[in-house]
Amino acid sequence: MQGQEHTESELLHIRREKLEALVAKGIEPFGGRFDTTHPPGTLRKDFEPELPVRVGGRITARRVMGKAAFFDLADFTGRIQCYVSKKDVGDEVFELLAEMLDLGDWLGVEGKTFVTKTGEPSVHVASMQVLSKSLRPLPDKWHGVTDKEIKYRQRYLDLISNERSRDIFVTRSLMVAEIRRFLQDRGFLEVETPMMQDVPGGAAATPFETFHNALGMPLYLRIAPELFLKRLLVGGFTKVFELNRNFRNEGLSRRHNPEFTMLEAYWAFSDFEQMAELVETLVCHLAEKYCGGLLIEHKDDEGNVTRTINLQRPWRRAPYKDLIRGVAGANWFELTNEEKKTRCAEIGVEVSGGMEDYEISQQVFEKLIEEKSFDPLFVTHVPKELVPLAKQNKADSSVVDVYELVINGQEISPGYSELNDPIVQRERLEHQAGEEVQKLDEDFLLALEYGMPSAGGIGIGIDRLVMMLTGAESIRDVVLFPQLKKK
RNA sequence: GCGCGGGUAGCUCAGCGGUAGAGCAGUUGGCUUUUAACCAAUUGGUCCUGGGUUCGAUCCCCAGCCCGCGCACCA
């Protein structure tokens, strides 16, 4: 950190000396190209004996026994054991391994595969090449890194030493790739729309503000891509999706990172019910492919199952108002504002003074329904005040044709029958703008006047989806580099 | 922003008003199929930072920094 020689610990000093010893022997300590035949984990998994191989990886374990030694080479695919005997490689190479190399160093080996007495798939090393000398010691080989601050600030140490973390991020990557494939297979086109926007719309959230020097204008990091994707519907891109980052200037929590990954997809001529079908199919597909089935077990550190989420179809569907009546009383919506607050006190929901009726209802919904729903629940027909960009229901104009999918106690995915009437859309946004002091996106409203096809739309919070599917307790465990305060 | 909990060796942790300990890693020696290798010896500390109380503070008190959890914020 300070980079001052005299403050370095003994451990660092010894590694520097080994580095110098390598150089003195004419060995390049930071390697170069090394062509490999297999990654370590793959080789171990699809093992064949008597195979000539070249493998590269980091030394994560070493067991030296006089004139023979074992060590593990590892990367994100897993590990493979290597065996070196002094007799085969000679004194020089053996001493290199035993005296100048350390846990943490990157090594390329060439040799032939075999199985040891104890049945461990291994590589019998004939020669090796140093690919990088590590100048700092690795975390504890058994416990790995558990200090949250180190896990998040120095994610590479977490990835080196914790298989669980590696698994989560590999799984996330596979899932994201599969989501893209799933949508592309159904004719959706992936697009990219502005992350820097003049008017940050598509959601009610505080944006991050920045400034473009050459244009001399403020810009905002997007809080949602929605209004741009709808412009593309107008443009005739009838099936589009975007899977990328949104930014919201809010507090951090176990469920919130200021930048998070969102999928939004729009399907012309569809509606919210068909979008619900699509989400259900997609999530079940991911669970079956990457979680071993539709029962998702969440476990604590000791491996005890703490929760099982049942994704078996069909998923429950229920109107918002019915759910609230179920927990707050059949006459809830007939109560006055004051009576609602009294009822809240009775059922243990905290509300504050100035709340409007729909806000009190929403509070009841969040505390008594959303946070307690772990198996999938499609909440339908939500009050229109909450969703200004969706079509109003024909039979009940106080609600909109949407679903909010709740799984694992969190909102995972909203889906709308998208509002495409430019006149109604303007009214709804102006109404909202009056309350929340938001700017109207006139360019968006202009586009709607050219005609946006009727459409269904969905959002899926990818981070929360991955949390649900992998059993991660915190969003920081599914985001590689979560936001932390500067130290 | 508020409340609670935490910060001790490179890592994982214990400890305590009397100047600090274990396991792993490291170092030294032994060992040619081990795997948390083993056996023996051994190095390693700003006990988060700054004040205060005290004869004496890593420990008690106050303030600050960072992390976690909860609350608040958050369609």
Side-chain angles (χ1 to χ4, degrees), chain A residues 424-436:
Chain A
V424 174
Q425 180 66 91
R426 176 176 287 276
E427 285 168 5
R428 301 267 297 279
L429 286 176
E430 277 175 349
H431 177 70
Q432 193 200 26
E435 289 169 357
E436 313 210 2

Side-chain angles (χ1 to χ4, degrees), chain A residues 36-52:
Chain A
T36 65
T37 58
H38 303 74
T42 312
L43 180 60
R44 187 166 190 273
K45 211 176 302 150
D46 309 323
F47 192 76
E48 265 180 72
E50 295 299 313
L51 198 68

